[in-house]
């Protein structure tokens, strides 16, 4: 239980993690989305939010960055609550692809089944399952879900959205392949539009740790006390994160850190310790797989200091 970790222990852990992260100097900002290339590469923040709602932070923990791929987790949560875990597994899948997050080849090899809701194809298919009277109503439901997880009103960045909508040609191809295979469940360009918007909201490391703590706390946001999703779905979401949360390095992260995680090309990374806490890191420079180098270092440091690896005995 999270009460076993004292305030002093957690404050020290996040401070040390931030210092450890700053020692890493490799990597580069994502450049295929123009906005991301322009973010200050020196920014670095870390946060821990416990399953009983305590917040600890260090560095640029309130700087708001683009959520990007981490948004996939929360749209998955929204749709899973509505259609149930078996339907997600059937329509989208529950396996790692072993290939880059935007791979067309992975989609072709699986005959149009995305396999994971945490790769682009699977996330676009998941977005196509969001119900609502029109595009704006469907988008609002996604935004409301991100806000409920974060415990505050999350907003779209028009600048990030514009940058993505005008350069997402590869994702457009993926949306059409899904559609031709019968695995896009609404108009493909509308699904892509709301998927692209969901990637373009701004969150801080503290927001991200709060979102993760909601998963750690069985779907109840520990800061607001509000139930966000059904308890029984959190285990499936965390399993998806363990399998595909860090792109092609998901296996390495499981091997080394032993926690379900999710990263985004905006430099954010989240790890969840079920029943205990969530750890978030943020720093723009990425490794070749697309994961924040300093963010991973921060998460790894907290997990090591507090002995959080789920597989350690
Ligand atoms: N919006 C980005 C894309 O669709 C998100 C990628 C990511 O963070 O992995 O390519």
């Amino acid at each position: 239980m999270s009460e076993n970790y004292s305030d002093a222990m957690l404050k020290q852990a996040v401070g040390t993690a931030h210092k450890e992260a700053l020692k890493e100097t490799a990597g580069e900002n994502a450049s295929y989305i123009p906005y991301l290339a322009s973010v200050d590469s020196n920014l670095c923040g870390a946060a821990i939010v416990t399953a009983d709602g305590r917040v600890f932070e260090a560095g640029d923990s309130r700087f708001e960055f683009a959520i990007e791929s981490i948004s996939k987790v929360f749209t998955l949560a929204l749709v899973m609550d509505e259609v149930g875990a078996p339907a997600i597994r059937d329509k989208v899948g529950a396996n790692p692809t072993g290939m880059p997050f935007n791979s067309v080849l992975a989609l072709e090899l699986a005959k149009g089944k995305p396999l994971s809701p945490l790769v682009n194809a699977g996330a676009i298919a998941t977005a196509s399952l969001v119900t609502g009277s029109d595009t704006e109503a469907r988008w609002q439901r996604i935004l409301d879900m991100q806000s409920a997880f974060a415990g505050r009103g999350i907003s779209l960045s028009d600048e990030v959205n514009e940058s993505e909508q005008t350069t997402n040609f590869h994702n457009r191809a993926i949306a059409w392949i899904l559609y031709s295979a019968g695995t896009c469940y609404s108009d493909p360009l509308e699904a892509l539009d709301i998927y692209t918007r969901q990637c373009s909201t701004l969150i801080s490391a503290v927001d991200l740790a709060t979102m993760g703590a909601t998963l750690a706390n069985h779907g109840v946001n520990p800061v607001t006390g509000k139930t966000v999703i059904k308890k029984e779905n959190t285990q499936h979401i965390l399993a998806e994160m363990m399998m595909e949360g860090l792109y092609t390095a998901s296996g390495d992260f499981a091997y080394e850190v032993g926690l379900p995680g999710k990263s985004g090309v905006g430099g954010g990374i989240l790890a969840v310790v079920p029943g205990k806490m969530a750890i978030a890191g943020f720093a723009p420079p990425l490794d070749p797989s697309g994961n924040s180098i300093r963010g991973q270092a921060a998460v790894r440091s907290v997990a090591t200091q507090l002995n959080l690896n789920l597989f350690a005995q």
Side-chain angles (χ1 to χ4, degrees):
M1 295 312 280
S2 52
E3 308 87 72
N4 297 340
Y5 300 91
S6 70
D7 287 4
M9 215 184 241
L10 293 162
K11 191 168 172 232
Q12 154 106 27
V14 78
T16 302
H18 179 244
K19 285 198 197 89
E20 291 287 320
L22 288 176
K23 290 184 192 159
E24 305 283 343
T25 53
E28 285 177 18
N29 289 31
S31 57
Y32 75 103
I33 298 170
Y35 173 90
L36 299 179
S38 73
V39 177
D40 181 355
S41 306
N42 295 313
L43 288 162
C44 179
I48 298 173
V49 175
T50 60
D52 59 6
R54 291 172 290 148
V55 179
F56 303 87
E57 54 190 297
D60 301 305
S61 52
R62 301 275 167 165
F63 179 85
E64 293 185 16
F65 56 89
I67 188 170
E68 295 299 341
S69 213
I70 308 168
S71 65
K72 292 166 178 161
V73 172
F74 309 107
T75 304
L76 170 64
L78 170 68
V79 176
M80 196 181 278
D81 247 32
E82 197 162 304
V83 303
I88 290 282
R89 193 178 185 183
D90 177 49
K91 289 179 187 304
V92 182
N95 277 298
T97 66
M99 289 191 205
F101 65 96
N102 57 359
S103 175
V104 168
L105 183 59
L107 195 54
E108 294 283 5
L109 289 174
K111 300 191 171 54
K113 185 165 180 177
L115 300 183
S116 166
L118 301 185
V119 296
N120 285 12
I124 295 166
T126 305
S128 80
L129 288 164
V130 175
T131 57
S133 53
D134 59 17
T135 309
E136 294 314 310
R138 290 191 272 283
W139 159 239
Q140 191 61 45
R141 291 193 66 212
I142 291 176
L143 193 59
D144 288 348
M145 184 53 87
Q146 289 190 11
S147 299
F149 266 101
R152 74 173 184 99
I154 297 297
S155 307
L156 178 78
S157 161
D158 290 330
E159 197 184 350
V160 180
N161 189 41
E162 167 78 10
S163 186
E164 300 219 14
Q165 298 274 9
T166 52
T167 54
N168 64 356
F169 310 113
H170 193 94
N171 284 345
R172 286 185 215 183
I174 290 174
W176 280 116
I177 294 171
L178 287 169
Y179 187 69
S180 73
T183 47
C184 189
Y185 304 97
S186 70
D187 176 85
L189 292 185
E190 195 226 37
L192 178 66
D193 175 16
I194 59 174
Y195 162 75
T196 306
R197 291 195 225 181
Q198 79 178 37
C199 292
S200 304
T201 60
L202 296 180
I203 57 163
S204 68
V206 170
D207 292 328
L208 187 52
T210 310
M211 294 166 108
T214 303
L215 290 170
N217 192 37
H218 320 296
V220 177
N221 184 316
V223 177
T224 64
K226 292 194 181 138
T227 299
V228 178
I229 57 164
K230 290 177 191 149
K231 180 179 177 178
E232 66 262 30
N233 286 339
T234 56
Q235 62 187 327
H236 301 300
I237 295 165
L238 294 174
E240 299 279 13
M241 291 168 68
M242 186 65 107
M243 290 185 285
E244 188 66 86
L246 274 85
Y247 310 113
T248 48
S250 302
D252 291 310
F253 191 73
Y255 195 95
E256 208 187 355
V257 180
L259 293 173
K262 184 73 200 89
S263 60
V265 294
I269 177 169
L270 167 68
V272 177
V273 194
K276 294 182 178 166
M277 67 187 80
I279 312 155
F282 160 66
L286 309 178
D287 67 16
S289 301
N291 299 307
S292 169
I293 293 180
R294 285 180 162 174
Q296 285 178 89
V299 169
R300 195 186 309 121
S301 170
V302 173
T304 306
Q305 291 176 71
L306 302 178
N307 197 19
L308 299 173
N309 187 323
L310 294 177
F311 307 119
Q313 307 196 14

